[in-house]
């Protein structure tokens, strides 16, 4: 069972990573004046069409580890998921910025923010001495 406050916050942040997989990761740029291809870009419907599926699965596994185990293994697995989610979201965001007819969607922002929250919580947990 999840007893500590940090673990409960980690579960909430990991739920944010999982939630970030559901909204679109790419949106059409309404301000683009050029000719945009009429090809559907994966991630315009939902993040599950791209890396959101991987971040969702990793977040669910990390929550399972937090529930099943206590201690260093749980925070290490959460840190790996937070780092992976942040890197994937930032890479997808940069890709959306580089393609002029697309913009990063809300799923990228939610995933990146939640991944950073996971990393901050793990860092705070590691910095706090055990009592």
């Amino acid at each position: 069972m999840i007893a500590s406050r940090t673990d409960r916050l980690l579960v909430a942040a990991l739920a944010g990573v999982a939630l970030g997989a559901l909204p679109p990761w790419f949106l059409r740029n309404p301000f683009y004046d050029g000719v945009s291809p009429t090809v559907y870009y994966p991630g315009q419907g939902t993040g599950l069409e791209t890396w959101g599926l991987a971040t969702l699965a990793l977040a669910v596994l990390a929550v399972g580890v937090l529930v099943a185990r206590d201690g260093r293994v749980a925070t290490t697995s959460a840190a790996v998921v937070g780092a992976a989610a942040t890197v994937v979201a930032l890479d997808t965001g940069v890709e959306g910025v580089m393609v002029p007819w697309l913009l990063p969607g809300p799923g990228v922002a939610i995933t990146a923010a939640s991944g950073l929250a996971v990393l901050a919580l793990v860092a705070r947990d590691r910095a706090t001495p055990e009592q």
Side-chain angles (χ1 to χ4, degrees):
M1 194 68 197
I2 299 173
S4 74
R5 179 175 182 259
T6 301
D7 286 349
R8 288 191 300 270
L9 289 172
L10 269 174
V11 168
L14 289 168
V17 170
L19 179 69
L22 302 177
W25 279 35
F26 292 110
L27 300 172
R28 289 243 178 242
N29 187 351
F31 305 109
Y32 181 66
D33 290 337
V35 177
S36 63
T38 58
V39 177
Y40 179 80
Y41 207 77
Q44 286 181 305
T46 178
L48 296 175
E49 298 171 344
T50 61
W51 290 104
L53 184 60
T55 59
L56 174 67
L58 286 173
V60 169
L61 285 172
V63 169
V65 169
L66 278 170
V67 170
R69 299 201 48 136
D70 188 25
R72 206 163 195 76
V73 173
T75 56
T76 302
S77 64
V80 169
V81 171
T86 303
V87 167
V88 165
L90 292 177
D91 178 57
T92 304
V94 167
E95 183 181 348
V97 169
M98 294 300 210
V99 178
W101 60 87
L102 290 176
L103 290 174
V108 172
I110 294 170
T111 303
S114 299
L116 289 173
V118 169
L119 291 175
L121 287 167
V122 169
R124 188 182 82 178
D125 185 52
R126 295 285 174 113
T128 306
E130 298 207 17
Q131 300 173 358

